[in-house]
Amino acid sequence: MATTKCSHRTRALIREAVDSVQAIDAHAHNLVEVESEVPFLRCFSEAEGEALSFAPHSLSYKRSLRDIAELYKCEQSLEKVEEHRKLEGLSSISSKCFAAANISAVLLDDGIVLDKMLDWQSHESFIPAVGRILRIEHLAETILNDEKFRESKVTLDSFTEVFVTKIKSVADKIVGMKSIAAYRSGLEIDPSVTGIEAEEGLLQELNGNKPIRITNKSFIDYIFTRSLEVAVSFELPLQIHTGFGDKDLDLRKSNPLHLRNVLEDKRFAKSKIVLLHASYPFSKEASYLASVYSQVYLDFGLAIPKLSVQGMISSLKELLELAPTKKVMFSTDGYAFPETFYLGAKRSRDVVYNVLSDTCGDGDLTIEEALEAIEDIFRENALRLYKLNSVNGLINRGNIFTPNIVPKYFNISQNGGEVVFVRIIWVDTSGQHRCRVVPAGRFYEEVKTKGVGLTQASMALLSYMDGLAEGSTLTGVGEIRLIPDMTTIARLPWSTKEEMVLADMHAKPGEAWEYCPRSALLRVTKILQKEFNLVMNAGFENEFYILKKMTRNGAEEWGPFDSSLYCSTSAFDTASSMLQEAYSFLESLDITVEQLHAEAGKGQFEFAFKYLPCNLAADNIIYAREVIRAVARKHGLIATFIPKYYLNDIGSGSHVHISLSDNGRNVFIGSENDPETHYGMSKIGQKFLAGVYHHLPAILAFTAPLPNSYDRIKPHTWSGAYHCWGRENREAPLRTACPPGIPLELVSNFEIKAFDGCANPHLGLASILAAGIDGLRRGLTLPEPTDIEPSDNLERLPKDLGEAVSSLDGDEIFKEFIGEKLVTEIIAMRKAEINYYSKNPWAYKDLIHRY
């Protein structure tokens, strides 16, 4: 059967999953100091002595040296790499290697004794979590070489008592055991070895060379069997060296098929045996054993990265020919040098990517099954097998069990077919959604990581034309890069051969452009997190009109979809099929709609979305508007978010509810037992809201960005025209809210009314957040709430965009938080909008095609 090349999208999803998974290194060894006498050449080869001098001529050496030099950004030579190591020191190079390896935990066999070796606990300085694996032969040799132990007559019984007692005493402090029987006497282990045979072997060891290095087969078989019995009783896995290694090994005796007697022994039917090193060159044999014996698991460390690229791929493919993916595990077999951990992880990710991409192309796995296999191989299998969630092992479980961040919009559709186009979306300073479209093949091969070019002027285009404002700081000179944020990749529910992805703007690779709205919001959220350990949550309520084409006086125009009013059941009936379709599309994008209803305007509706951390809420509202507009277009209609399409009807807002959380706990809400609680808010909540209240006139230049926005913000229209705040006062621009389940005297969030669908959501939220931080920093206080309908005895908020721009121009905190250049550009653009619409008062009608 011919192999079918898997799609670019499939390969991209596999690559993303492979690169992002936080791996558990299930088998490795201790590091040594940089000054250790262990030659750095051993980083690349199992050879020793004279044979090691030929290591630089191996494929593995040449490839691995390039990998290390690239990581260290030094010349690709052994001398320069070693010079860099000595200059940086162990701590620096270890931190760099383990960070690049993306390893969350390492299980160390500390039974190898090396010059200037670190103890296993010391590795916690470089690795989030460390567990210990007990090497049984090393323990036996330690006992036999102890002079105190040999002071009295040594018998098999006395040795066994001490040996078994020591294992049991650390059984709750280790994650597993390991045997290197393959190195000493081979894997043809006799689990029925007699006491007499074992005693004779023990005596032979005692009478041999000192210090004792156990080689007698009968004695090795005996300690292996006793160890496995203890492992079964404590439900600990036993790792076994199989396949290739250094020259001490007789490769003929390291074939895992020799373990048949152990595997068939009923005492060990419930054991957990891990065959290390992919059993190379016996990978097929290992795969067979894992497929027919429930107690056999596989680990491919050492084979990767020591083999050639094709050798590594071939070995893993052979393991997966028969073995269940739930039984195959990643490890680096790293030792002595942090670079070995990096190389093992880097190449393992590459090899798993290649192999699983081929399995999808061949039809062995679906994309969902491949993604699950990645999690299993790199992480989940080790978590289950080594019981890292139990008391076994001195591991900081919080470091291991941080859930992986799975890209939210990896919406994999088996029915969607091959993707043809990918839309790279950004929202400009005037709040318009724009996109560059790239063929899927090119996107996944190149654009996904490198982005596409875009003229700087694209962020300064006006609402009424694709032109620049007078006084704009941006021109057609200069280019930025739109870099896709792959956590937002999504299949278009209404056009299943396309995908969309939100983009960040970079001035150069890795450097955010100062005019990028997503980066501006991220920058301000980091300030809130760093200074106050807080997250701002946001939940949008987006109103919109549905318009239909109609003829009036012989001319076509867009008019109301229906004439029903607020929460009308007939209005909902009229639009129900369309709203159901929009809801289904939103649900497929993992965007939660909490409620929806007909609004007070003719043909007006509202979707209320679940609150989320503000960055994600801003991303979601962009996709939500894309969905709502697309569904309307599909039905020959227009959905528009402009603030005031009908000057004699109700306007459309994009009200947003704001709360603050600390480690997931709402800290905006007050407490009945807290004397600092006022107006139902905590002290933090009061200061934050006071900041928003204080800067609200300037915030409107972000959240109500068009002259038409102020046709909406009028008294007695529930849009918030007066500068005040109130408790459950829908006429106030800032309303504290008490949802069901909250005691009546407490409030959990506040709502900003003066936010509409023409605002760039990232910039709007960034302005609110900046104002709130200023309130926290300065300890600002709130005036008394307005608990009646506001009237002209209160100060008005800006009555037009000009007043809002003047407020922004005189408010320095936004330049500090959002950036002086971006704020200056916003002011220039808003002034151009004011000038144009003052001369063309009806031009706002054309905005239904833009917003």
Side-chain angles (χ1 to χ4, degrees):
M1 182 181 293
T3 297
T4 301
K5 183 180 179 182
C6 73
S7 71
H8 296 293
R9 172 179 168 79
T10 296
R11 297 184 77 88
L13 290 173
I14 293 173
R15 182 80 257 180
E16 191 81 17
V18 162
D19 288 343
S20 63
V21 63
Q22 294 181 333
I24 293 177
D25 187 350
H27 174 251
H29 306 276
N30 301 49
L31 295 173
V32 299
E33 298 286 356
V34 172
E35 301 79 15
S36 171
E37 293 181 3
V38 180
F40 185 60
L41 261 180
R42 290 293 306 274
C43 177
F44 308 97
S45 173
E46 291 291 293
E48 295 181 358
E50 188 68 23
L52 186 59
S53 64
F54 290 93
H57 305 288
S58 67
L59 301 181
S60 172
Y61 171 89
K62 295 178 184 297
R63 180 191 68 239
S64 298
L65 185 64
R66 285 195 301 271
D67 289 343
I68 296 171
E70 183 178 340
L71 177 67
Y72 289 160
K73 294 180 172 55
C74 68
E75 184 182 314
Q76 293 181 13
S77 71
L78 184 64
E79 293 75 18
K80 290 298 182 183
V81 169
E82 291 199 85
E83 181 180 306
H84 178 88
R85 299 182 84 250
K86 291 175 181 176
L87 182 65
E88 291 291 316
L90 181 64
S91 179
S92 175
I93 62 174
S94 295
S95 297
K96 183 173 291 186
C97 286
F98 283 112
N102 194 15
I103 291 173
S104 62
V106 175
L107 311 185
L108 291 178
D109 160 23
D110 59 352
I112 295 181
V113 179
L114 300 170
D115 178 56
K116 295 183 174 64
M117 184 177 84
L118 277 63
D119 62 67
W120 72 272
Q121 294 97 329
S122 299
H123 294 71
E124 292 177 355
S125 302
F126 317 122
I127 310 161
V130 183
R132 183 188 178 207
I133 293 171
L134 178 68
R135 183 184 291 205
I136 60 175
E137 290 84 5
H138 178 69
L139 174 62
E141 289 166 349
T142 300
I143 293 169
L144 295 178
N145 285 313
D146 185 348
E147 292 183 1
K148 290 184 178 180
F149 175 73
R150 295 205 307 268
E151 287 177 356
S152 57
K153 183 179 180 181
V154 177
T155 65
L156 186 64
D157 288 342
S158 65
F159 166 79
T160 303
E161 181 181 358
V162 174
F163 181 72
V164 171
T165 299
K166 283 187 176 292
I167 295 178
K168 289 182 177 180
S169 70
V170 296
D172 63 342
K173 300 179 181 65
I174 59 176
V175 296
M177 293 188 276
K178 177 183 172 182
S179 171
I180 56 167
Y183 269 104
R184 303 299 175 84
S185 55
L187 295 179
E188 198 170 357
I189 292 166
D190 179 8
S192 300
V193 60
T194 67
I196 294 174
E197 292 169 327
E199 184 104 50
E200 290 175 352
L202 173 59
L203 290 175
Q204 181 180 323
E205 299 292 355
L206 291 170
N207 294 325
N209 294 331
K210 302 293 186 295
I212 294 172
R213 180 178 181 275
I214 299 171
T215 57
N216 182 272
K217 182 181 184 309
S218 294
F219 187 58
I220 288 173
D221 291 354
Y222 178 81
I223 62 174
F224 180 97
T225 304
R226 298 289 81 77
S227 299
L228 191 53
E229 288 172 345
V230 177
V232 170
S233 68
F234 283 91
E235 297 185 332
L236 288 169
L238 177 66
Q239 298 179 344
I240 303 177
H241 182 108
T242 61
F244 73 134
D246 62 40
K247 69 176 184 178
D248 281 351
L249 185 81
D250 185 339
L251 191 59
R252 296 166 299 180
K253 296 180 180 181
S254 65
N255 188 326
L257 293 179
H258 290 309
L259 291 169
R260 176 177 170 79
N261 288 335
V262 174
L263 300 176
E264 288 290 329
D265 194 309
K266 292 181 179 179
R267 289 174 296 170
F268 307 130
K270 299 295 184 182
S271 65
K272 298 171 183 176
I273 291 175
V274 183
L275 306 182
L276 297 175
H277 311 317
S279 299
Y280 181 83
F282 309 112
S283 302
K284 288 183 178 179
E285 289 85 343
S287 180
Y288 161 74
L289 292 176
S291 72
V292 297
Y293 288 102
S294 63
Q295 65 266 52
V296 175
Y297 296 78
L298 309 177
D299 181 304
F300 54 74
L302 188 65
I304 304 174
K306 289 296 193 290
L307 304 180
S308 69
V309 170
Q310 290 305 315
M312 293 186 286
I313 291 172
S314 175
S315 179
L316 183 58
K317 282 186 173 181
E318 288 181 354
L319 289 184
L320 292 175
E321 282 183 358
L322 290 172
T325 56
K326 297 287 184 185
K327 285 186 159 192
V328 178
M329 285 173 289
F330 156 79
S331 78
T332 63
D333 197 35
Y335 93 112
F337 315 106
E339 294 85 353
T340 58
F341 293 81
Y342 167 67
L343 294 171
K346 173 180 169 57
R347 288 300 165 179
S348 291
R349 295 181 194 275
D350 291 343
V351 170
V352 170
Y353 161 71
N354 276 286
V355 171
L356 292 187
S357 294
D358 286 349
T359 65
C360 288
D362 293 341
D364 283 330
L365 294 178
T366 65
I367 178 59
E368 291 94 338
E369 291 165 342
L371 296 180
E372 181 181 359
I374 290 166
E375 287 287 325
D376 285 337
I377 289 169
F378 281 101
R379 186 176 181 84
E380 295 301 320
N381 291 343
L383 281 173
R384 286 188 291 265
L385 183 68
Y386 293 99
K387 293 202 168 184
L388 303 183
N389 58 339
S390 73
V391 296
N392 293 339
L394 294 178
I395 291 178
N396 179 348
R397 294 195 297 277
N399 290 327
I400 286 191
F401 293 99
T402 301
N404 290 325
I405 299 175
V406 179
K408 175 177 179 281
Y409 294 108
F410 273 11
N411 175 31
I412 303 159
S413 170
Q414 289 301 304
N415 302 317
E418 181 67 18
V419 174
V420 177
F421 296 134
V422 180
R423 303 181 187 185
I424 305 172
I425 295 175
W426 75 98
V427 179
D428 65 20
T429 313
S430 62
Q432 296 181 75
H433 294 202
R434 300 179 185 268
C435 72
R436 281 287 184 86
V437 181
V438 179
R442 179 169 178 258
F443 178 85
Y444 283 108
E445 287 176 357
E446 179 181 355
V447 174
K448 169 178 165 285
T449 53
K450 296 181 181 178
V452 293
L454 186 72
T455 175
Q456 293 184 358
S458 294
M459 272 306 288
L461 303 181
L462 298 161
S463 70
Y464 57 89
M465 70 169 185
D466 284 344
L468 304 177
E470 184 179 345
S472 172
T473 56
L474 299 174
T475 70
V477 179
E479 186 166 272
I480 59 165
R481 303 296 291 180
L482 285 177
I483 305 297
D485 177 354
M486 291 303 290
T487 67
T488 68
I489 190 78
R491 184 76 67 105
L492 268 64
W494 63 92
S495 180
T496 56
K497 291 189 179 297
E498 295 184 61
E499 291 175 328
M500 58 184 173
V501 65
L502 296 177
D504 292 314
M505 297 173 168
H506 285 199
K508 57 185 179 181
E511 181 182 312
W513 190 40
E514 53 203 332
Y515 293 86
C516 174
R518 293 182 90 231
S519 298
L521 178 56
L522 179 61
R523 190 164 58 246
V524 186
T525 59
K526 286 182 176 178
I527 294 171
L528 182 69
Q529 175 71 39
K530 181 178 180 181
E531 293 189 18
F532 303 100
N533 195 37
L534 296 174
V535 171
M536 186 178 87
N537 302 304
F540 282 97
E541 297 175 350
N542 217 142
E543 298 167 335
F544 57 94
Y545 274 91
I546 299 176
L547 308 178
K548 65 180 179 181
K549 189 171 286 188
M550 55 198 307
T551 302
R552 180 177 295 176
N553 299 325
E556 284 191 344
E557 62 180 48
W558 292 95
F561 175 67
D562 78 348
S563 299
S564 301
L565 298 177
Y566 179 69
C567 284
S568 165
T569 55
S570 61
F572 201 88
D573 282 340
T574 305
S576 180
S577 62
M578 188 165 41
L579 297 175
Q580 286 180 40
E581 189 172 11
Y583 172 79
S584 175
F585 287 173
L586 291 165
E587 191 176 44
S588 75
L589 296 174
D590 199 23
I591 297 175
T592 301
V593 177
E594 296 202 321
Q595 59 178 307
L596 59 158
H597 61 269
E599 260 296 347
K602 296 178 178 64
Q604 187 186 34
F605 294 86
E606 176 184 299
F607 277 74
F609 298 100
K610 179 180 175 62
Y611 79 90
L612 294 164
C614 59
N615 305 73
L616 187 51
D619 289 350
N620 274 7
I621 201 65
I622 294 170
Y623 279 179
R625 291 171 185 165
E626 287 289 307
V627 166
I628 292 167
R629 281 199 289 246
V631 171
R633 279 194 299 270
K634 182 180 175 182
H635 290 267
L637 306 167
I638 284 180
T640 180
F641 299 95
I642 68 169
K644 193 82 168 179
Y645 184 61
Y646 303 112
L647 296 183
N648 61 347
D649 206 342
I650 297 299
S652 291
S654 184
H655 317 149
V656 62
H657 288 256
I658 301 294
S659 65
L660 301 171
S661 61
D662 182 348
N663 292 318
R665 181 175 61 89
N666 188 329
V667 294
F668 183 85
I669 190 170
S671 170
E672 296 169 312
N673 302 318
D674 183 359
E676 292 191 310
T677 290
H678 294 293
Y679 317 116
M681 290 175 275
S682 67
K683 190 70 171 178
I684 288 173
Q686 295 166 55
K687 292 177 182 178
F688 190 90
L689 181 56
V692 177
Y693 172 86
H694 180 78
H695 295 286
L696 190 56
I699 289 173
L700 262 62
F702 295 92
T703 61
L706 297 177
N708 183 255
S709 301
Y710 299 83
D711 292 328
R712 167 182 168 263
I713 304 173
K714 300 291 186 182
H716 316 303
T717 59
W718 293 11
S719 57
Y722 294 95
H723 195 175
C724 62
W725 74 278
R727 294 178 289 193
E728 295 294 6
N729 187 341
R730 282 175 166 76
E731 192 62 41
L734 299 173
R735 172 179 75 98
T736 56
C738 175
I742 302 296
L744 290 177
E745 63 275 10
L746 300 179
V747 294
S748 65
N749 65 86
F750 69 94
E751 178 188 31
I752 298 181
K753 290 282 189 180
F755 201 129
D756 66 51
C758 294
N760 181 304
H762 292 88
L763 293 179
L765 290 176
S767 69
I768 294 166
L769 184 50
I773 293 173
D774 188 55
L776 291 172
R777 282 179 173 178
R778 294 165 56 195
L780 296 178
T781 58
L782 286 164
E784 288 298 311
T786 299
D787 290 333
I788 59 173
E789 185 158 319
S791 60
D792 288 338
N793 63 323
L794 289 173
E795 180 185 358
R796 279 287 303 272
L797 281 174
K799 294 186 288 295
D800 56 44
L801 182 57
E803 291 183 7
V805 169
S806 295
S807 296
L808 175 60
D809 202 13
D811 200 327
E812 293 298 317
I813 70 123
F814 297 102
K815 295 175 183 177
E816 174 191 347
F817 285 99
I818 296 174
E820 184 171 0
K821 289 184 178 179
L822 180 51
V823 170
T824 300
E825 182 61 37
I826 289 170
I827 290 172
M829 291 179 65
R830 301 295 188 260
K831 288 180 177 178
E833 307 277 4
I834 295 166
N835 181 57
Y836 176 79
Y837 288 107
S838 68
K839 297 175 181 177
N840 302 275
W842 294 102
Y844 78 89
K845 288 282 188 179
D846 294 331
L847 295 179
I848 61 173
H849 304 289
R850 294 184 177 233
Y851 299 95

